[in-house]
């Protein structure tokens, strides 16, 4: 579980739990600041310590390996997990470079030192300044409030009103500062990932240039580097979308805090001053408590909490409320007071003081007190439903807009990113949503309506629906598979859930996603990759029912769901899901007697990364399955092992990765792929199929099957098992794109030993990949 989101509405409650969450965010930023300081120090040592290069590299590697980013929410996207793991991968890369003793002087000041120093001073430093202001304003606000509450009710009315106004202005200023501080905290938490990793990535790119002896290693690393660049770009894009949503929510709450209170089980909650009587002649004292009340159970809870004493909460007290009455100023020398009586202490009322008359009215209403005034706090919460509906007019609107976009603007750069003029968009929507004028509007041939106006009208219509296209009911179910599971299980989950949508919703979604898939095919011209379309349409198709920071943090997973829909449109909408889906996509858990899977990370590190291994498998399959004229481009590294065997080399520009349709200029990848032909490709496949240098021992292989041993005719042993079949004796869920998922009883074809110790290579349903050796039995 990562850091909990900081809700803007909690700024107005300023509860102990809110303060705890704020301190957790502050501690995480302090840890990040310390990490950056250490990283900068180690980087400078690496430049200067040419005589002690190995020691400096080892220290730098340890700094990278030991740090891990904390995230907001309950899950990370694949891109964020990849970014988090990148520091560990960088550490492993440095360990391999320890063999290189000779090094040229590296100039990394511009690529590593300055960006990290700038981020630490400008971003983390700004947070520290905001924290000082926030702590200072907290002290000032509650001191002034306590002083104000001590004013005698017998003072002149004009003096009391003046004091009330002063306190209210100071409170508003405190809430403004609290909102800005919370927004800044969460922005830095999200920003730090790519702001810290990008300089490190640039540093490694510089290392490749100066290490001639590490040239081969750099080529192997280029696949990982490119994937990380895509992950960083995706994370940055999602961050920009999330930040705008967070700022919009903050401004909404700033304008009217009462309308955006979060729904929870408490009928009322907030701070109250509780009168604690002392023995004569000491009188009484007033202690601030955070109080909660549940009307259903009549349970009233009080927790003493003082902001100025370091925010330490005392022991709470719980009692059952019996009645509540208002206290008049003629019976007590304080304003805004009321009495509570509990069932366990009859006849001994507890006097409490609210912060204002309005606050007392709210408490009196919630507690069913005498003279309570009814105030409907939720009257503004009922959102007005737009006139947009999933009816014949709505389908006509979407189809006309899609036809116009595909006819006139499919290649426009930033399609769906560039927004139209608001007045024109509203005018077009009013025409299209009117049955009398809808058919008269000619979007394909008229120059009156720009493409950006048409696309904005489409998005506005979808946002105006009373319920998002993918429904509130299934919102959480769509998010769950996007947070975990293998790529195949995610697709199956979304496939299943799409067919649970109402028929009109599914039909409209089919039309829209088919169009978005067509848009993504023109990404080379319009720059709208699948990832970019996910950022645009995630919040539109899957808006949450309640606007909170936690919901906004799930935007990145909404984007992933939309990406899955676009990339797998044909399967999801043209085929029926497996009726046994809930069982089939659940994570395969090995039975009690199943052997543990041997990690590929154990033993001696294989210097060729898995991405190269996957590519070799695809090349091997391409040579045996495709014709020489087949030049269909393949997808990203994920698709290299998860798609059906297709040739990797294509006539498309190098670096065009189909998974995100992100065009990248990588000379290393272009040179590497263009050299993979003829003898090179054959030698690579031959290298991958060479038996391991270390014999592998296992207890699950039949006794008549011998393992290869280089010293005793290992080549003949490997040749003897070529094209053998094997049957799965345990179910297995793939943990990497190069592995195969299977159920008990699955039959594998053409089983061979892998270069990975403890693993086999095999083919299942036309897909080739790795199989845990102790999960199968040879036939």
């Amino acid at each position: 579980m990562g850091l909990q989101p900081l809700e803007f509405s909690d700024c107005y409650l300023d509860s102990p739990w809110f303060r705890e969450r704020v301190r957790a965010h502050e501690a995480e930023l302090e840890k990040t600041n310390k990490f950056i300081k250490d990283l900068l120090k180690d980087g400078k040592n690496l430049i200067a310590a040419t005589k002690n290069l190995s020691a400096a590299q080892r220290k730098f590697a340890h700094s990278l390996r030991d740090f891990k980013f904390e995230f907001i929410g309950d899950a990370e996207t694949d891109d964020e997990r990849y970014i988090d793991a990148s520091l560990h991968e960088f550490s492993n890369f440095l360990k391999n470079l320890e063999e290189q003793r000779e090094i040229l002087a590296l100039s990394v000041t511009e690529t590593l030192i300055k960006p990290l120093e700038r981020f630490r001073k400008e971003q983390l430093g700004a947070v520290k300044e905001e924290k000082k202001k926030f702590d200072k304003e907290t002290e000032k606000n509650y001191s002034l409030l306590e002083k104000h509450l001590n004013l005698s009710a017998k003072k002149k009315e004009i003096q009391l009103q003046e004091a009330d106004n002063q306190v209210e202005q100071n409170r508003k200023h405190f809430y403004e500062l609290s909102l800005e501080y919370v927004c800044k905290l969460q922005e830095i938490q999200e920003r730090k990932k790519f702001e810290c990793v990008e300089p490190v990535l640039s540093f490694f790119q510089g290392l490749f240039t100066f290490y001639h002896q590490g040239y081969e290693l750099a080529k192997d690393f280029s696949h990982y580097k490119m994937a990380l660049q895509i992950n960083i770009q995706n994370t940055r894009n999602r961050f920009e979308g999330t930040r705008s949503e967070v700022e919009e929510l903050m401004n909404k709450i700033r304008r009217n805090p009462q309308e955006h209170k979060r729904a929870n089980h408490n009928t009322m909650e907030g701070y109250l001053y509780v009168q604690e009587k002392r023995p004569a002649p000491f009188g009484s004292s007033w202690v601030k408590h955070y109080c909660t009340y549940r009307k259903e159970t009549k349970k009233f809870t009080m927790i003493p909490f003082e902001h100025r004493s370091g925010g330490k909460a005392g022991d709470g007290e719980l009692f059952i409320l019996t009645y509540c009455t208002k206290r008049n100023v003629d019976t007590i020398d304080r304003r805004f007071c009321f009495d509570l009586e509990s069932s366990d202490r009859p006849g001994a009322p507890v006097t409490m003081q609210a912060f204002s008359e309005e606050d007392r009215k709210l408490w009196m209403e919630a507690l069913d007190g005498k003279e309570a005034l009814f105030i409907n706090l939720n009257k503004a919460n009922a959102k007005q439903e737009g006139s947009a509906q999933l009816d014949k007019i709505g389908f006509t609107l979407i189809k006309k807009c899609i036809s116009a976009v595909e006819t006139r603007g499919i290649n426009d750069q930033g399609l769906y990113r560039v927004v139209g003029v608001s007045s024109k968009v509203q005018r077009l929507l009013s025409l299209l949503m009117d049955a009398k004028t809808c058919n008269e509007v000619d979007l394909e041939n008229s120059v009156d309506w720009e493409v950006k106006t048409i696309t904005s009208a489409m998005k506005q219509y979808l946002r105006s629906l009373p319920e998002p296209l993918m429904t509130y009911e299934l919102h959480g179910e769509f998010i769950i598979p996007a947070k975990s599971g293998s790529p195949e299980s995610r697709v199956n989950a979304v496939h299943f859930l799409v067919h649970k949508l109402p028929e009109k919703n599914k039909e409209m979604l089919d039309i829209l996603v088919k169009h978005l898939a067509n848009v993504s095919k023109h990404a080379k011209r319009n720059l709208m990759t699948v990832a970019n379309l996910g950022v645009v349409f995630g919040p539109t198709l899957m808006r949450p029912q309640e606007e909170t920071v936690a919901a906004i943090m799930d935007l990145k997973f909404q984007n992933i769901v939309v990406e899955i829909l676009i990339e797998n449109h044909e399967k999801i909408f043209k085929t029926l899901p497996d009726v046994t889906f809930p069982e089939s996509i659940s994570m395969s858990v090995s039975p009690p007697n199943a052997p543990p899977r041997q990690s590929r990370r154990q033993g001696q590190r294989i210097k060729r990364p898995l991405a190269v291994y996957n590519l070799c498998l695809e090349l091997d399959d391409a040579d045996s399955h495709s014709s020489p004229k087949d030049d269909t481009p393949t997808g990203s590294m994920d698709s290299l092992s998860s798609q059906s065997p297709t040739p990797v080399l294509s006539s498309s520009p190098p670096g065009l990765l189909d998974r995100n349709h992100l065009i990248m200029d990588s000379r290393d990848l272009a040179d590497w792929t263009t050299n993979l032909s003829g003898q090179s490709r054959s030698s690579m496949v031959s290298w991958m199929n060479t038996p391991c240098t270390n014999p592998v021992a296992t207890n699950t292989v039949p006794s008549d099957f011998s393992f290869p041993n280089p010293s005793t005719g290992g080549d003949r042993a490997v040749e003897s098992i070529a094209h053998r079949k094997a049957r799965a004796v345990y179910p297995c869920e793939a943990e990497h794109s190069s592995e195969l998922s299977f159920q008990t009883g699955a039959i594998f074809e053409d089983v061979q030993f892998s270069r990975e110790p403890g693993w086999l290579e095999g083919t299942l349903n036309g897909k080739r990949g790795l199989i845990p050796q102790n999960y199968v039995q040879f036939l």
Side-chain angles (χ1 to χ4, degrees), residues 491 495 499 509-518 521 562-575:
V491 175
H495 188 189
H499 286 264
L509 189 63
D510 184 9
I511 295 171
L512 180 63
V513 173
K514 182 179 180 181
H515 164 64
L516 297 181
N518 189 25
K521 292 177 182 177
V562 175
E563 291 174 26
I564 292 172
L565 289 173
I566 297 174
E567 291 176 336
N568 303 274
H569 170 263
E570 290 296 324
K571 175 181 178 180
I572 290 175
F573 292 96
K574 303 304 180 186
T575 63

mmCIF file of all heavy atoms in Angstrom, residues 491 495 499 509-518 521 562-575:
data_model
loop_
_atom_site.group_PDB
_atom_site.id
_atom_site.type_symbol
_atom_site.label_atom_id
_atom_site.label_comp_id
_atom_site.label_asym_id
_atom_site.label_seq_id
_atom_site.Cartn_x
_atom_site.Cartn_y
_atom_site.Cartn_z
ATOM 1 N N VAL A 491 -6.632 -8.373 -20.861
ATOM 2 C CA VAL A 491 -7.489 -8.336 -22.048
ATOM 3 C C VAL A 491 -8.742 -9.175 -21.826
ATOM 4 O O VAL A 491 -9.863 -8.759 -22.155
ATOM 5 C CB VAL A 491 -6.708 -8.823 -23.290
ATOM 6 C CG1 VAL A 491 -7.626 -8.911 -24.507
ATOM 7 C CG2 VAL A 491 -5.535 -7.901 -23.583
ATOM 8 N N HIS A 495 -12.490 -7.811 -21.839
ATOM 9 C CA HIS A 495 -13.393 -8.472 -22.788
ATOM 10 C C HIS A 495 -14.672 -8.915 -22.089
ATOM 11 O O HIS A 495 -15.798 -8.671 -22.569
ATOM 12 C CB HIS A 495 -12.652 -9.673 -23.402
ATOM 13 C CG HIS A 495 -13.393 -10.327 -24.522
ATOM 14 N ND1 HIS A 495 -12.995 -11.524 -25.077
ATOM 15 C CD2 HIS A 495 -14.509 -9.972 -25.198
ATOM 16 C CE1 HIS A 495 -13.837 -11.856 -26.034
ATOM 17 N NE2 HIS A 495 -14.755 -10.929 -26.130
ATOM 18 N N HIS A 499 -18.854 -6.989 -22.249
ATOM 19 C CA HIS A 499 -20.090 -7.679 -22.603
ATOM 20 C C HIS A 499 -21.100 -7.689 -21.450
ATOM 21 O O HIS A 499 -22.190 -8.237 -21.603
ATOM 22 C CB HIS A 499 -19.778 -9.099 -23.071
ATOM 23 C CG HIS A 499 -19.171 -9.142 -24.442
ATOM 24 N ND1 HIS A 499 -19.900 -9.356 -25.578
ATOM 25 C CD2 HIS A 499 -17.889 -8.946 -24.847
ATOM 26 C CE1 HIS A 499 -19.107 -9.322 -26.636
ATOM 27 N NE2 HIS A 499 -17.870 -9.073 -26.218
ATOM 28 N N LEU A 509 -19.817 2.169 -27.529
ATOM 29 C CA LEU A 509 -18.394 1.977 -27.250
ATOM 30 C C LEU A 509 -17.704 1.299 -28.423
ATOM 31 O O LEU A 509 -16.567 1.642 -28.781
ATOM 32 C CB LEU A 509 -18.231 1.148 -25.973
ATOM 33 C CG LEU A 509 -16.817 1.029 -25.413
ATOM 34 C CD1 LEU A 509 -16.281 2.389 -24.999
ATOM 35 C CD2 LEU A 509 -16.796 0.085 -24.212
ATOM 36 N N ASP A 510 -18.367 0.345 -29.037
ATOM 37 C CA ASP A 510 -17.821 -0.345 -30.213
ATOM 38 C C ASP A 510 -17.550 0.647 -31.337
ATOM 39 O O ASP A 510 -16.470 0.656 -31.949
ATOM 40 C CB ASP A 510 -18.810 -1.421 -30.665
ATOM 41 C CG ASP A 510 -18.275 -2.244 -31.834
ATOM 42 O OD1 ASP A 510 -17.090 -2.090 -32.183
ATOM 43 O OD2 ASP A 510 -19.046 -3.042 -32.396
ATOM 44 N N ILE A 511 -18.518 1.499 -31.619
ATOM 45 C CA ILE A 511 -18.359 2.490 -32.692
ATOM 46 C C ILE A 511 -17.190 3.416 -32.391
ATOM 47 O O ILE A 511 -16.352 3.691 -33.265
ATOM 48 C CB ILE A 511 -19.666 3.293 -32.848
ATOM 49 C CG1 ILE A 511 -20.801 2.389 -33.326
ATOM 50 C CG2 ILE A 511 -19.468 4.455 -33.820
ATOM 51 C CD1 ILE A 511 -22.157 3.045 -33.310
ATOM 52 N N LEU A 512 -17.118 3.895 -31.157
ATOM 53 C CA LEU A 512 -16.084 4.851 -30.784
ATOM 54 C C LEU A 512 -14.691 4.223 -30.798
ATOM 55 O O LEU A 512 -13.740 4.788 -31.348
ATOM 56 C CB LEU A 512 -16.384 5.432 -29.400
ATOM 57 C CG LEU A 512 -15.395 6.460 -28.871
ATOM 58 C CD1 LEU A 512 -15.364 7.696 -29.751
ATOM 59 C CD2 LEU A 512 -15.739 6.849 -27.428
ATOM 60 N N VAL A 513 -14.548 3.031 -30.194
ATOM 61 C CA VAL A 513 -13.231 2.402 -30.098
ATOM 62 C C VAL A 513 -12.726 1.981 -31.488
ATOM 63 O O VAL A 513 -11.529 2.068 -31.774
ATOM 64 C CB VAL A 513 -13.291 1.197 -29.139
ATOM 65 C CG1 VAL A 513 -11.980 0.428 -29.156
ATOM 66 C CG2 VAL A 513 -13.604 1.663 -27.723
ATOM 67 N N LYS A 514 -13.615 1.540 -32.338
ATOM 68 C CA LYS A 514 -13.219 1.210 -33.707
ATOM 69 C C LYS A 514 -12.626 2.437 -34.391
ATOM 70 O O LYS A 514 -11.617 2.355 -35.100
ATOM 71 C CB LYS A 514 -14.415 0.684 -34.491
ATOM 72 C CG LYS A 514 -14.084 0.277 -35.917
ATOM 73 C CD LYS A 514 -15.321 -0.256 -36.634
ATOM 74 C CE LYS A 514 -14.979 -0.660 -38.070
ATOM 75 N NZ LYS A 514 -16.180 -1.166 -38.781
ATOM 76 N N HIS A 515 -13.246 3.586 -34.160
ATOM 77 C CA HIS A 515 -12.729 4.841 -34.724
ATOM 78 C C HIS A 515 -11.374 5.190 -34.119
ATOM 79 O O HIS A 515 -10.440 5.583 -34.836
ATOM 80 C CB HIS A 515 -13.743 5.954 -34.465
ATOM 81 C CG HIS A 515 -13.183 7.335 -34.654
ATOM 82 N ND1 HIS A 515 -12.740 7.811 -35.876
ATOM 83 C CD2 HIS A 515 -12.988 8.344 -33.763
ATOM 84 C CE1 HIS A 515 -12.312 9.046 -35.739
ATOM 85 N NE2 HIS A 515 -12.434 9.391 -34.459
ATOM 86 N N LEU A 516 -11.224 5.036 -32.798
ATOM 87 C CA LEU A 516 -9.948 5.363 -32.148
ATOM 88 C C LEU A 516 -8.831 4.434 -32.640
ATOM 89 O O LEU A 516 -7.675 4.854 -32.768
ATOM 90 C CB LEU A 516 -10.089 5.281 -30.631
ATOM 91 C CG LEU A 516 -11.072 6.262 -29.989
ATOM 92 C CD1 LEU A 516 -11.090 6.084 -28.477
ATOM 93 C CD2 LEU A 516 -10.714 7.694 -30.348
ATOM 94 N N ALA A 517 -9.176 3.166 -32.880
ATOM 95 C CA ALA A 517 -8.180 2.246 -33.434
ATOM 96 C C ALA A 517 -7.724 2.721 -34.808
ATOM 97 O O ALA A 517 -6.530 2.635 -35.154
ATOM 98 C CB ALA A 517 -8.774 0.834 -33.517
ATOM 99 N N ASN A 518 -8.643 3.242 -35.596
ATOM 100 C CA ASN A 518 -8.290 3.777 -36.911
ATOM 101 C C ASN A 518 -7.410 5.014 -36.760
ATOM 102 O O ASN A 518 -6.452 5.208 -37.517
ATOM 103 C CB ASN A 518 -9.571 4.125 -37.694
ATOM 104 C CG ASN A 518 -9.276 4.489 -39.142
ATOM 105 O OD1 ASN A 518 -8.262 4.073 -39.704
ATOM 106 N ND2 ASN A 518 -10.164 5.263 -39.739
ATOM 107 N N LYS A 521 -3.833 4.105 -36.039
ATOM 108 C CA LYS A 521 -3.094 3.579 -37.185
ATOM 109 C C LYS A 521 -2.406 4.684 -37.971
ATOM 110 O O LYS A 521 -1.483 4.414 -38.743
ATOM 111 C CB LYS A 521 -4.031 2.794 -38.098
ATOM 112 C CG LYS A 521 -4.558 1.500 -37.488
ATOM 113 C CD LYS A 521 -5.542 0.811 -38.415
ATOM 114 C CE LYS A 521 -6.110 -0.453 -37.769
ATOM 115 N NZ LYS A 521 -7.137 -1.098 -38.628
ATOM 116 N N VAL A 562 -8.633 1.926 -21.611
ATOM 117 C CA VAL A 562 -8.932 2.422 -22.959
ATOM 118 C C VAL A 562 -7.882 1.926 -23.956
ATOM 119 O O VAL A 562 -8.213 1.563 -25.088
ATOM 120 C CB VAL A 562 -9.010 3.961 -22.953
ATOM 121 C CG1 VAL A 562 -9.193 4.494 -24.370
ATOM 122 C CG2 VAL A 562 -10.156 4.429 -22.070
ATOM 123 N N GLU A 563 -6.611 1.876 -23.542
ATOM 124 C CA GLU A 563 -5.574 1.340 -24.417
ATOM 125 C C GLU A 563 -5.861 -0.118 -24.769
ATOM 126 O O GLU A 563 -5.693 -0.540 -25.924
ATOM 127 C CB GLU A 563 -4.205 1.456 -23.731
ATOM 128 C CG GLU A 563 -3.704 2.883 -23.571
ATOM 129 C CD GLU A 563 -2.413 2.943 -22.769
ATOM 130 O OE1 GLU A 563 -1.678 1.944 -22.769
ATOM 131 O OE2 GLU A 563 -2.156 3.984 -22.142
ATOM 132 N N ILE A 564 -6.284 -0.890 -23.781
ATOM 133 C CA ILE A 564 -6.612 -2.301 -24.030
ATOM 134 C C ILE A 564 -7.762 -2.402 -25.027
ATOM 135 O O ILE A 564 -7.740 -3.237 -25.940
ATOM 136 C CB ILE A 564 -6.961 -3.005 -22.707
ATOM 137 C CG1 ILE A 564 -5.715 -3.126 -21.813
ATOM 138 C CG2 ILE A 564 -7.544 -4.395 -22.965
ATOM 139 C CD1 ILE A 564 -6.007 -3.636 -20.415
ATOM 140 N N LEU A 565 -8.769 -1.561 -24.871
ATOM 141 C CA LEU A 565 -9.909 -1.577 -25.789
ATOM 142 C C LEU A 565 -9.468 -1.291 -27.221
ATOM 143 O O LEU A 565 -9.900 -1.954 -28.165
ATOM 144 C CB LEU A 565 -10.948 -0.536 -25.355
ATOM 145 C CG LEU A 565 -11.745 -0.830 -24.085
ATOM 146 C CD1 LEU A 565 -12.604 0.373 -23.709
ATOM 147 C CD2 LEU A 565 -12.628 -2.056 -24.268
ATOM 148 N N ILE A 566 -8.590 -0.309 -27.383
ATOM 149 C CA ILE A 566 -8.151 0.077 -28.729
ATOM 150 C C ILE A 566 -7.284 -1.008 -29.347
ATOM 151 O O ILE A 566 -7.470 -1.391 -30.510
ATOM 152 C CB ILE A 566 -7.392 1.421 -28.675
ATOM 153 C CG1 ILE A 566 -8.331 2.544 -28.190
ATOM 154 C CG2 ILE A 566 -6.818 1.780 -30.043
ATOM 155 C CD1 ILE A 566 -7.640 3.867 -27.962
ATOM 156 N N GLU A 567 -6.336 -1.531 -28.581
ATOM 157 C CA GLU A 567 -5.391 -2.508 -29.129
ATOM 158 C C GLU A 567 -6.035 -3.853 -29.407
ATOM 159 O O GLU A 567 -5.541 -4.625 -30.231
ATOM 160 C CB GLU A 567 -4.218 -2.687 -28.145
ATOM 161 C CG GLU A 567 -3.317 -1.465 -28.046
ATOM 162 C CD GLU A 567 -2.229 -1.640 -26.996
ATOM 163 O OE1 GLU A 567 -2.442 -2.448 -26.076
ATOM 164 O OE2 GLU A 567 -1.192 -0.964 -27.093
ATOM 165 N N ASN A 568 -7.132 -4.159 -28.727
ATOM 166 C CA ASN A 568 -7.779 -5.467 -28.879
ATOM 167 C C ASN A 568 -9.236 -5.322 -29.318
ATOM 168 O O ASN A 568 -10.102 -6.090 -28.906
ATOM 169 C CB ASN A 568 -7.696 -6.243 -27.556
ATOM 170 C CG ASN A 568 -6.280 -6.427 -27.067
ATOM 171 O OD1 ASN A 568 -5.597 -7.366 -27.453
ATOM 172 N ND2 ASN A 568 -5.836 -5.525 -26.211
ATOM 173 N N HIS A 569 -9.494 -4.313 -30.139
ATOM 174 C CA HIS A 569 -10.873 -3.998 -30.531
ATOM 175 C C HIS A 569 -11.569 -5.186 -31.184
ATOM 176 O O HIS A 569 -12.703 -5.528 -30.841
ATOM 177 C CB HIS A 569 -10.876 -2.800 -31.478
ATOM 178 C CG HIS A 569 -12.211 -2.550 -32.115
ATOM 179 N ND1 HIS A 569 -12.521 -3.008 -33.388
ATOM 180 C CD2 HIS A 569 -13.315 -1.939 -31.658
ATOM 181 C CE1 HIS A 569 -13.763 -2.676 -33.672
ATOM 182 N NE2 HIS A 569 -14.271 -2.008 -32.650
ATOM 183 N N GLU A 570 -10.904 -5.840 -32.120
ATOM 184 C CA GLU A 570 -11.542 -6.931 -32.857
ATOM 185 C C GLU A 570 -11.935 -8.079 -31.936
ATOM 186 O O GLU A 570 -13.036 -8.610 -32.013
ATOM 187 C CB GLU A 570 -10.594 -7.437 -33.953
ATOM 188 C CG GLU A 570 -10.394 -6.456 -35.098
ATOM 189 C CD GLU A 570 -11.684 -6.209 -35.863
ATOM 190 O OE1 GLU A 570 -12.471 -7.166 -36.008
ATOM 191 O OE2 GLU A 570 -11.916 -5.075 -36.307
ATOM 192 N N LYS A 571 -11.035 -8.443 -31.043
ATOM 193 C CA LYS A 571 -11.324 -9.558 -30.142
ATOM 194 C C LYS A 571 -12.435 -9.201 -29.155
ATOM 195 O O LYS A 571 -13.353 -10.000 -28.921
ATOM 196 C CB LYS A 571 -10.063 -9.951 -29.366
ATOM 197 C CG LYS A 571 -10.316 -11.023 -28.307
ATOM 198 C CD LYS A 571 -9.059 -11.366 -27.537
ATOM 199 C CE LYS A 571 -9.352 -12.399 -26.449
ATOM 200 N NZ LYS A 571 -8.143 -12.773 -25.676
ATOM 201 N N ILE A 572 -12.381 -8.009 -28.596
ATOM 202 C CA ILE A 572 -13.310 -7.637 -27.528
ATOM 203 C C ILE A 572 -14.728 -7.472 -28.050
ATOM 204 O O ILE A 572 -15.689 -7.929 -27.420
ATOM 205 C CB ILE A 572 -12.820 -6.344 -26.840
ATOM 206 C CG1 ILE A 572 -11.542 -6.628 -26.033
ATOM 207 C CG2 ILE A 572 -13.898 -5.761 -25.926
ATOM 208 C CD1 ILE A 572 -10.909 -5.404 -25.425
ATOM 209 N N PHE A 573 -14.880 -6.846 -29.217
ATOM 210 C CA PHE A 573 -16.223 -6.522 -29.694
ATOM 211 C C PHE A 573 -16.764 -7.509 -30.730
ATOM 212 O O PHE A 573 -17.966 -7.551 -30.949
ATOM 213 C CB PHE A 573 -16.244 -5.110 -30.281
ATOM 214 C CG PHE A 573 -16.052 -4.031 -29.259
ATOM 215 C CD1 PHE A 573 -14.791 -3.486 -29.024
ATOM 216 C CD2 PHE A 573 -17.117 -3.567 -28.513
ATOM 217 C CE1 PHE A 573 -14.615 -2.492 -28.079
ATOM 218 C CE2 PHE A 573 -16.948 -2.577 -27.560
ATOM 219 C CZ PHE A 573 -15.688 -2.043 -27.333
ATOM 220 N N LYS A 574 -15.895 -8.279 -31.356
ATOM 221 C CA LYS A 574 -16.364 -9.180 -32.406
ATOM 222 C C LYS A 574 -16.477 -10.631 -31.943
ATOM 223 O O LYS A 574 -16.963 -11.476 -32.678
ATOM 224 C CB LYS A 574 -15.407 -9.111 -33.610
ATOM 225 C CG LYS A 574 -15.222 -7.709 -34.189
ATOM 226 C CD LYS A 574 -16.538 -7.060 -34.589
ATOM 227 C CE LYS A 574 -16.309 -5.659 -35.151
ATOM 228 N NZ LYS A 574 -17.575 -4.946 -35.417
ATOM 229 N N THR A 575 -15.994 -10.935 -30.754
ATOM 230 C CA THR A 575 -16.085 -12.299 -30.236
ATOM 231 C C THR A 575 -16.720 -12.279 -28.858
ATOM 232 O O THR A 575 -16.678 -11.269 -28.151
ATOM 233 C CB THR A 575 -14.690 -12.949 -30.139
ATOM 234 O OG1 THR A 575 -13.884 -12.221 -29.197
ATOM 235 C CG2 THR A 575 -14.001 -12.973 -31.503
#
